Amino acid sequence: MDITQYRRPELFRYPNRAWPEREITHAPIWCSVDLRDGNQALIEPMGEARKLKMYQLLRKIGFQQIEIGFPSASQTDFDFARLLVEKNLIDENLEAQVLTQARPELISQTFAALEGYPRAIVHLYNSTSPRQREWVFGKDRKEIKQLAVDGAKMIRDGAEKFNDTSVRFQYSPESFTQTEMDYALEVCEAVLDILEPTPERKTIINLPATVEVTSANVYADQINWFCDHISRRDSIEISVHTHNDRGQGVAASEMAVMAGADRIEGTLFGNGERTGNVDLVTLALNLYTHGIDSGLDFSNMPEIVKTVEFCNRLPIHERHPYGGKLVFTAFSGSHQDAIKKSLEQRRASNKNLWDIPYLPINPEDLNRSYETVIRVNSQSGKGGVSFLLESDYGYRLPRTFQQSLSRSVQKITDQSEAEISAAGILEVFEDHFMPEEPVRLILHQAVPKEGDNTEAKRGIEAELMINGQATTIRGEGSGPLDAFVNALQNHWHRSISINDYSEHAIGAGSDVEAISYIELDVDGKIFFGAGRDSDSTVASLKAIIAGLNVSL
Ligand code: KIV
Ligand code: ZN
C-alpha cells in the first residue's frame, strides 16, 4: 500500500451552516433509481420481465417518482418505457423519470420513449468537476457550462412540442461534490435561466455525490450552502443522490435533508455502481422508527427482499439494515435475555409503544416473526434456549431447569461450532429430563392404606418396567406423589424426596396435556425430571421416574 498516492480533498466549509441543529420531521420526496442507476450496475442487467417485476414492486411500495431508464442509451430501456404505456401500467400518480445526455439525437429519442405518459421528468446531466472537465471532456469551465445550457434548451424545446404529457425537468451537475461550489451554482443558475421554473412547475436540481469523497458533514455543508445561494428557491426542488464509497450514503442523505434538500434519489437496499447508491429502505425505515410516516410501505419485507434478489440477481446481505435475514436475531445470551423479558413486559403492560432493547423496530411491522428473533448457538444463554422451547413447544421451564438445559446445549454448540434449532433443543431437553430407561411407568392405581377402612385412598400401587422386567411397587403417604416417592424409597432403599415441583398445561381444547417439572433429592443430590401426560397425576409420576432415571 502506497499512502503517498493520496491526499485529503480540499475541504468545503460553510460556517453559516444551520443543519446540525435541525431534525428531520417529515419524509422527503422519494425517487427510485433502481431501474436506471441500479440496473446499470448489475452483473446481469434486467431484461423486460425482471424490469417489470421491479417496476411493479416499486409501485406497490408507493414510489411516485421512478427513473424508469436511460432510453436514449439502451434499447432495452427504450422498449421498456414503451411497454409500460402499451400495457397500460402508468397512471396520473406516477412521474416517470428518464435520463438523457445533452445531444439532439439523444433528446429526440428520449421524448419518443415518453409518448403517452401523463407525467414525466426529463433528467439532463453532465459532469462538472475539474478532473472530468479537463481529463474526460477536454473542455474548460465555459465550455462545460455551455454544454449544460445547450442541453437545457434542447429539453425545453422538446417538451414544448409534447402537449399531452406534463413534463418537468431535472438537471444534475454530475460529480457535484468534487466540483467547485461557486461553479456548480453558476452552471445550475444558467440552466434554470433556460428552463424558467415556477412554483407550480418546479425544476429539480439534483446534486449528486457521484463518488463519495468526504465525510457526510461536508456534503451537508455543500447542500446547506447551495440551498442558501441558489435563486428561485421556491421554484426548485433540491434533490440529493448519494453513493456509498465511504460507507456514509445514508448519513449523507439524512444530513442533506437536514441541510435543506427536498428529495432523495436511491435504490432498494442500495444496489448501484461500486459500493452502491444510497439505500432507500434504510432511509425510510429510519424515519418510521422515529414515528415519521415515510409514505412507503415495507410491511411485507420478506416478499420485497425476495423480489429484489430475483430482479437484481444479487443477494441482500444477512446483516443489511431492516431487510437482512439475521437483523432480528439475537444469538448473545444477554441480548436474548433482555429481549425475552422486555417482550413479556410489553405484552403484560398492554402498551403500544415499542421500546425493546436491541430491537429498534417491531419485526411484525415488516412481516417478520418473533420465531426468528432468538436463535441459539454457543454464545447464547438460558434466555434464548428457554424462549425457543416456549415459543415453539409451549414449555415454560422453571429457572433451575433453564440453567441446567442451557449448560447442556452450550456443550453441544461449543463442540459443533454451529447453531442449534428449536427441535434440536427439544431433543436435548427430552434426553436430559425425560429419560425412559432404566425405569418406565406402566400403570398405577390409588389404593387404601393398609388397615384403613375409610374411603380415603392414600396408598399407591404402581407397575414399573425396570430394565425390561415388570415390577410392582407399593407405598403410602399424604397424597399420590408422596405415596409414590415412598414406594420408590422402599424398593430402592435410598433416601428420595421432592425438592421442588411445578406444572402447567400445554396445548388447548381436547388436546390439552400437563407437563410436570420435578427437582428430586436422591441421597442428598438434586436431579431434574419432567413428565408429560393428559392426566396431570401421571405427568408428575413420570417426572419423578425421569428424575430417578437421571440419578441411576
Ligand atoms: O451518480 C450520479 O451522479 C448519477 C447521475 C446521472 C445523477 O447517477
Ligand atoms: Zn448515481
Side-chain angles (χ1 to χ4, degrees):
M1 293 175 80
D2 178 9
I3 203 166
T4 63
Q5 297 170 93
Y6 304 98
R7 64 188 141 77
R8 284 204 310 275
E10 212 174 290
L11 214 54
F12 180 80
R13 287 190 186 284
Y14 183 39
N16 293 340
R17 65 181 75 80
W19 65 265
E21 303 306 323
R22 295 199 192 128
E23 272 187 89
I24 303 177
T25 54
H26 61 275
I29 302 163
W30 305 109
C31 176
S32 152
V33 295
D34 287 89
L35 289 163
R36 198 278 300 169
D37 220 0
N39 186 51
Q40 284 183 314
L42 294 177
I43 304 164
E44 296 176 23
M46 290 179 250
E48 182 188 296
R50 281 189 287 145
K51 269 182 178 266
L52 207 50
K53 223 171 159 51
M54 175 64 87
Y55 172 78
Q56 280 162 335
L57 175 70
L58 294 169
R59 295 301 307 272
K60 199 165 165 199
I61 290 170
F63 286 99
Q64 295 184 345
Q65 293 185 0
I66 300 174
E67 193 161 74
I68 58 169
F70 196 165
S72 61
S74 143
Q75 189 61 43
T76 315
D77 284 15
F78 183 88
D79 294 343
F80 179 68
R82 299 312 310 145
L83 184 89
L84 292 183
V85 183
E86 282 149 22
K87 284 196 178 276
N88 223 352
L89 291 171
I90 42 173
D91 54 60
E92 285 286 339
N93 292 326
L94 174 76
E95 278 191 292
Q97 182 169 309
V98 284
L99 185 70
T100 183
Q101 284 172 330
R103 291 217 305 272
E105 70 284 8
L106 301 185
I107 286 173
S108 58
Q109 175 86 338
T110 303
F111 278 102
L114 289 175
E115 201 82 53
Y117 279 72
R119 297 163 74 207
I121 299 170
V122 176
H123 177 188
L124 173 76
Y125 81 101
N126 66 288
S127 206
T128 52
S129 71
R131 215 45 66 237
Q132 295 250 14
R133 292 192 313 253
E134 203 181 317
W135 287 0
V136 182
F137 297 99
K139 290 190 192 301
D140 62 16
R141 284 171 70 131
K142 214 166 138 214
E143 288 166 319
I144 287 288
K145 182 166 117 185
Q146 195 55 48
L147 196 71
V149 167
D150 291 345
K153 283 183 184 153
M154 286 183 245
I155 60 173
R156 179 199 61 192
D157 297 347
E160 260 163 26
K161 295 181 226 130
F162 217 63
N163 292 332
D164 295 336
T165 306
S166 154
V167 179
R168 291 206 294 146
F169 305 116
Q170 171 165 330
Y171 174 68
S172 295
E174 203 210 57
S175 59
F176 163 79
T177 48
Q178 289 159 291
T179 302
E180 309 88 330
M181 284 300 107
D182 61 336
Y183 179 63
L185 183 72
E186 184 186 322
V187 175
C188 290
E189 290 287 11
V191 166
L192 290 172
D193 286 344
I194 305 296
L195 298 177
E196 296 180 321
T198 62
E200 293 71 43
R201 188 172 173 238
K202 293 182 180 171
T203 286
I204 300 161
I205 294 291
N206 186 46
L207 304 173
T210 305
V211 181
E212 184 170 65
V213 289
T214 63
S215 51
N217 62 306
V218 177
Y219 186 56
D221 268 10
Q222 290 172 321
I223 301 297
N224 204 152
W225 180 89
F226 196 95
C227 288
D228 288 352
H229 289 83
I230 188 85
S231 64
R232 296 165 271 219
R233 184 67 186 88
D234 61 344
S235 300
I236 57 171
E237 279 166 10
I238 296 292
S239 173
V240 291
H241 173 117
T242 59
H243 283 265
N244 201 36
D245 298 82
R246 297 173 73 87
Q248 300 179 31
V250 166
S253 293
E254 288 186 343
M255 288 181 190
V257 169
M258 289 155 68
D262 308 298
R263 177 182 188 267
I264 298 182
E265 288 191 351
T267 60
L268 297 178
F269 305 110
N271 174 50
E273 288 285 16
R274 308 177 305 281
T275 52
N277 286 69
V278 72
D279 171 21
L280 297 181
V281 179
T282 301
L283 284 170
L285 290 172
N286 281 356
L287 290 178
Y288 179 79
T289 57
H290 283 188
I292 299 165
D293 183 3
S294 72
L296 300 179
D297 180 358
F298 293 104
S299 59
N300 197 351
M301 188 60 88
E303 197 53 44
I304 293 172
V305 167
K306 206 168 111 199
T307 308
V308 172
E309 287 186 331
F310 170 83
C311 293
N312 290 344
R313 292 194 178 153
L314 285 177
I316 289 162
H317 197 278
E318 285 90 336
R319 305 243 176 242
H320 193 101
Y322 302 108
K325 290 195 180 63
L326 288 180
V327 298
F328 297 116
T329 301
F331 285 107
S332 128
S334 62
H335 291 205
Q336 291 176 343
D337 196 46
I339 291 171
K340 180 174 177 279
K341 286 179 180 153
S342 305
L343 288 176
E344 281 163 8
Q345 289 279 338
R346 181 171 187 263
R347 230 172 277 138
S349 76
N350 255 335
K351 290 216 176 90
N352 189 41
L353 190 71
W354 184 261
D355 193 11
I356 304 293
Y358 305 112
L359 287 180
I361 189 168
N362 184 345
E364 284 186 344
D365 292 355
L366 306 179
N367 196 18
R368 301 278 302 261
S369 62
Y370 291 137
E371 284 96 74
T372 57
V373 168
I374 289 181
R375 288 167 59 172
V376 172
N377 62 17
S378 61
Q379 304 304 303
S380 315
K382 64 180 183 343
V385 170
S386 51
F387 182 91
L388 284 193
L389 268 193
E390 182 170 347
S391 58
D392 282 38
Y393 300 105
Y395 288 6
R396 294 200 300 276
L397 267 53
R399 203 178 149 72
T400 44
F401 275 65
Q402 291 182 13
Q403 286 163 335
S404 168
L405 178 64
S406 146
R407 276 193 296 274
S408 308
V409 167
Q410 203 162 27
K411 262 189 216 143
I412 293 170
T413 49
D414 262 334
Q415 248 167 25
S416 68
E417 297 183 14
E419 183 188 0
I420 186 165
S421 65
I425 295 171
L426 180 67
E427 220 173 279
V428 180
F429 173 80
E430 288 173 348
D431 281 356
H432 282 66
F433 301 125
M434 301 172 100
E436 295 195 334
E437 295 298 334
V439 185
R440 195 143 41 89
L441 177 71
I442 305 299
L443 49 90
H444 81 285
Q445 60 172 330
V447 294
K449 273 184 175 178
E450 223 168 276
D452 187 350
N453 296 326
T454 68
E455 289 287 291
K457 292 182 175 170
R458 301 241 162 72
I460 200 164
E461 196 172 277
E463 195 180 318
L464 306 180
M465 193 64 81
I466 306 174
N467 286 322
Q469 268 207 316
T471 309
T472 303
I473 61 167
R474 285 183 195 84
E476 293 176 353
S478 54
L481 299 195
D482 192 36
F484 189 62
V485 168
N486 287 335
L488 296 175
Q489 291 205 99
N490 298 341
H491 184 83
W492 266 278
H493 305 293
R494 296 173 74 174
S495 149
I496 303 177
S497 61
I498 293 175
N499 200 44
D500 202 7
Y501 166 88
S502 66
E503 68 167 24
H504 65 79
I506 270 189
S510 57
D511 286 338
V512 75
E513 287 194 302
I515 173 116
S516 293
Y517 307 96
I518 282 190
E519 259 183 66
L520 204 63
D521 183 322
V522 182
D523 293 336
K525 273 183 83 177
I526 298 295
F527 299 93
F528 300 104
R532 183 174 172 159
D533 202 274
S534 53
D535 178 317
S536 64
T537 305
V538 177
S540 301
L541 301 185
K542 282 182 173 174
I544 293 170
I545 298 261
L548 181 69
N549 279 334
V550 178
S551 79
L552 290 173

